[in-house]
């Protein structure tokens, strides 16, 4: 019975470990996406800041430059909003990862405890057998 329990616990710990690895992979992917968002935001910010002042240009060019800056700023704002939403999703995923890690650790401790109990029971059984054999030998020697 206890061997079956240990086998079941080992399987459960392995499943928890697989879940933690999956969530870690997911977090790594989300971190990569966040970094891409951040780099894009930096590029967009550089684009609209380096486009120059539109007041020094011909009115038609100034209008075009102003429209370009507004479009790039709007795109940057949209990316910023997407980045904040993505970071919120990352926070939820991080909480799920932390919970899965804690579950795996708890199950690992339960497995270790059960293995220790089984080992102690086995050692006690072996000691009893050795004591019984020693007692039988002693009794035979007394005859």
């Amino acid at each position: 019975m206890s061997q079956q329990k240990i086998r079941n616990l080992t399987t459960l710990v392995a499943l928890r470990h697989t879940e933690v690895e999956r969530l870690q992979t997911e977090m790594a992917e989300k971190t990569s996406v966040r970094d891409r968002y951040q780099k894009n935001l930096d590029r967009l910010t550089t684009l609209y800041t380096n486009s120059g002042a539109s007041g020094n240009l011909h009115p038609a060019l100034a209008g075009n430059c102003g429209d370009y800056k507004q479009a790039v700023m709007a795109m940057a704002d949209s990316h910023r909003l997407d980045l904040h939403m993505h970071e919120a999703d990352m926070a939820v995923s991080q909480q799920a990862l932390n919970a899965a890690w804690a579950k795996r650790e708890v199950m690992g401790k339960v497995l270790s405890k059960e293995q220790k109990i089984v080992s102690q029971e086995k050692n006690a059984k072996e000691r009893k057998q050795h004591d019984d054999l020693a007692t039988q030998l002693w009794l035979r020697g007394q005859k």
Side-chain angles (χ1 to χ4, degrees):
M1 177 66 182
S2 59
Q3 290 298 329
Q4 180 66 27
K5 188 174 184 180
I6 287 178
R7 227 182 348 261
N8 291 343
L9 284 171
T10 302
T11 303
L12 191 55
V13 168
L15 288 173
R16 295 286 186 217
H17 183 72
T18 303
E19 179 183 10
V20 167
E21 286 178 342
R22 181 186 59 79
L23 290 171
Q24 285 173 333
T25 302
E26 182 181 311
M27 279 301 296
E29 291 170 356
K30 288 182 179 190
T31 300
S32 174
V33 170
R34 182 196 61 203
D35 292 344
R36 278 200 325 257
Y37 270 118
Q38 193 60 49
K39 287 177 185 175
N40 286 342
L41 276 171
D42 293 342
R43 284 188 206 118
L44 288 172
T45 302
T46 302
L47 280 174
Y48 73 76
T49 56
N50 290 341
S51 66
S54 57
N56 297 338
L57 300 173
H58 185 273
L61 290 175
N64 284 344
C65 185
D67 290 344
Y68 170 77
K69 281 184 178 181
Q70 285 181 341
V72 172
M73 283 184 200
M75 190 182 306
D77 285 341
S78 173
H79 265 64
R80 209 170 280 114
L81 177 63
D82 290 345
L83 175 61
H84 290 305
M85 301 270 284
H86 184 73
E87 286 174 339
D89 183 44
M90 283 181 70
V92 170
S93 294
Q94 184 64 47
Q95 289 175 347
L97 175 59
N98 292 344
W101 183 83
K103 285 179 185 178
R104 183 192 66 190
E105 290 300 309
V106 167
M107 293 311 295
K109 287 180 181 179
V110 169
L111 175 61
S112 296
K113 184 179 177 182
E114 286 297 320
Q115 287 173 331
K116 185 177 178 182
I117 289 170
V118 167
S119 176
Q120 288 172 344
E121 288 173 354
K122 182 180 175 185
N123 289 341
K125 186 177 178 181
E126 286 177 3
R127 276 193 314 272
K128 182 167 178 13
Q129 286 176 345
H130 288 296
D131 289 347
D132 289 345
L133 284 174
T135 302
Q136 286 176 6
L137 285 173
W138 183 78
L139 288 174
R140 285 185 189 163
Q142 295 297 318
K143 290 182 181 181

